[in-house]
Coordinates of all heavy atoms in Angstrom, one line a residue:
P15 N -5.2 -25.2 6.7 CA -6.4 -24.5 7.1 C -6.0 -23.2 7.8 O -4.9 -23.0 8.3 CB -7.0 -25.5 8.2 CG -6.2 -26.8 8.1 CD -5.0 -26.4 7.4
N21 N -2.1 -19.4 14.3 CA -1.1 -19.7 15.4 C 0.3 -19.6 15.0 O 1.2 -19.8 15.8 CB -1.5 -21.1 15.9 CG -2.9 -21.1 16.5 OD1 -3.5 -20.1 16.9 ND2 -3.6 -22.3 16.2
K32 N 14.6 -1.6 9.3 CA 14.8 -1.4 7.8 C 13.7 -0.8 7.3 O 13.8 0.2 6.4 CB 15.1 -2.9 7.2 CG 16.2 -2.7 6.1 CD 16.4 -4.1 5.5 CE 16.7 -4.1 4.1 NZ 16.6 -5.4 3.6
A35 N 13.7 3.0 8.4 CA 14.9 3.7 7.7 C 14.5 4.0 6.2 O 14.7 5.2 5.7 CB 16.1 2.8 7.6
D47 N 9.9 16.5 -3.5 CA 9.1 16.6 -4.8 C 7.9 17.5 -4.6 O 7.5 18.1 -5.7 CB 8.7 15.3 -5.2 CG 9.8 14.4 -5.5 OD1 11.1 15.0 -5.7 OD2 9.7 13.2 -6.0
V53 N -0.4 18.4 -0.6 CA -0.8 17.2 -1.0 C -2.1 16.7 -0.4 O -2.4 16.9 0.7 CB 0.4 16.1 -0.5 CG1 0.1 14.7 -0.8 CG2 1.8 16.6 -0.9
T54 N -2.8 16.0 -1.3 CA -4.0 15.2 -0.8 C -3.6 13.8 -0.8 O -3.3 13.1 -1.8 CB -5.2 15.4 -1.7 OG1 -5.5 16.8 -1.9 CG2 -6.4 14.6 -1.3
A55 N -3.3 13.3 0.5 CA -2.7 12.0 0.7 C -3.8 11.0 0.8 O -4.7 11.1 1.8 CB -1.7 12.0 1.9
I56 N -4.0 10.0 0.0 CA -5.0 9.1 0.1 C -4.4 7.7 0.6 O -3.6 7.1 0.0 CB -5.6 8.8 -1.3 CG1 -6.3 10.2 -1.8 CG2 -6.6 7.7 -1.2 CD1 -7.0 10.0 -3.1
C57 N -5.0 7.2 1.7 CA -4.7 5.9 2.3 C -5.6 4.9 1.6 O -6.9 5.0 1.9 CB -4.8 6.0 3.8 SG -4.7 4.5 4.6
F65 N 1.4 1.7 7.3 CA 2.4 2.5 6.4 C 2.1 3.9 6.3 O 3.0 4.9 6.5 CB 2.4 1.8 5.1 CG 3.2 2.5 4.1 CD1 4.4 2.9 4.1 CD2 2.5 2.6 2.7 CE1 5.1 3.6 3.1 CE2 3.2 3.3 1.7 CZ 4.4 3.7 1.9
F66 N 0.8 4.2 6.1 CA 0.3 5.5 5.9 C 0.6 6.5 7.1 O 1.1 7.5 6.9 CB -1.1 5.6 5.5 CG -1.8 6.9 5.2 CD1 -1.6 7.5 3.8 CD2 -2.5 7.6 6.1 CE1 -2.2 8.7 3.5 CE2 -3.2 8.8 5.7 CZ -2.9 9.2 4.5
G95 N -8.5 -10.0 -9.3 CA -8.6 -9.0 -10.3 C -9.9 -8.2 -10.2 O -10.0 -7.1 -10.9
E96 N -10.7 -8.6 -9.3 CA -12.0 -7.9 -9.1 C -11.7 -6.8 -8.0 O -11.1 -7.2 -6.9 CB -13.0 -8.7 -8.5 CG -13.7 -9.4 -9.6 CD -14.8 -10.5 -8.9 OE1 -15.5 -10.1 -8.1 OE2 -14.6 -11.7 -9.4
I99 N -15.0 -0.9 -4.4 CA -14.7 0.4 -3.5 C -15.8 0.1 -2.3 O -17.0 0.1 -2.5 CB -15.2 1.6 -4.2 CG1 -14.4 1.8 -5.5 CG2 -15.1 2.9 -3.3 CD1 -13.0 2.5 -5.3
T100 N -15.2 -0.1 -1.2 CA -16.0 -0.3 0.0 C -16.2 1.0 0.9 O -17.1 1.0 1.7 CB -15.3 -1.4 0.9 OG1 -14.1 -1.0 1.3 CG2 -15.2 -2.7 0.3
I114 N -1.6 8.7 -3.9 CA -2.1 7.6 -3.4 C -1.2 6.6 -2.6 O 0.0 6.3 -3.2 CB -2.7 6.6 -4.5 CG1 -3.8 7.4 -5.3 CG2 -3.3 5.4 -3.9 CD1 -4.2 6.7 -6.5
D120 N 0.9 -6.2 -6.5 CA 1.2 -7.6 -6.8 C 0.9 -7.8 -8.3 O 1.9 -7.6 -9.1 CB 0.3 -8.5 -6.0 CG 0.4 -10.0 -6.3 OD1 1.5 -10.3 -6.9 OD2 -0.4 -10.7 -5.8
R133 N -8.4 9.3 -11.8 CA -8.0 10.2 -12.8 C -9.2 10.9 -13.4 O -9.3 12.0 -13.8 CB -7.3 9.5 -13.8 CG -6.4 10.4 -14.9 CD -5.6 9.5 -15.6 NE -4.4 9.0 -15.0 CZ -4.0 7.8 -14.8 NH1 -4.8 6.9 -15.4 NH2 -3.0 7.4 -14.3
K141 N -0.2 10.7 -8.4 CA 0.9 9.8 -8.2 C 0.6 8.8 -7.3 O -0.3 8.9 -6.4 CB 2.2 10.7 -7.9 CG 2.8 11.4 -9.1 CD 4.1 12.0 -8.6 CE 4.7 12.7 -9.8 NZ 6.2 13.0 -9.5
Y160 N 6.7 6.0 -6.3 CA 7.6 5.7 -5.2 C 7.3 4.3 -4.8 O 6.2 3.9 -4.5 CB 7.3 6.7 -4.0 CG 7.3 8.1 -4.5 CD1 6.1 8.8 -4.8 CD2 8.4 8.9 -4.4 CE1 6.1 10.2 -5.2 CE2 8.5 10.2 -4.7 CZ 7.4 10.8 -5.2 OH 7.3 12.2 -5.5
V161 N 8.5 3.6 -4.5 CA 8.4 2.2 -4.0 C 9.3 1.9 -2.9 O 10.4 2.4 -3.0 CB 8.6 1.1 -5.1 CG1 8.7 -0.2 -4.7 CG2 7.7 1.3 -6.4
I165 N 10.1 -7.0 -3.8 CA 10.2 -8.2 -3.2 C 9.9 -9.3 -4.3 O 9.5 -9.0 -5.4 CB 9.4 -8.4 -2.0 CG1 7.8 -8.3 -2.3 CG2 9.7 -7.5 -0.8 CD1 6.9 -8.7 -1.2

Side-chain angles (χ1 to χ4, degrees):
N21 301 325
K32 220 176 139 189
D47 292 352
V53 179
T54 301
I56 297 184
C57 173
F65 167 50
F66 184 78
E96 280 172 50
I99 303 276
T100 56
I114 303 172
D120 182 16
R133 198 171 284 120
K141 286 190 173 191
Y160 306 93
V161 176
I165 62 172

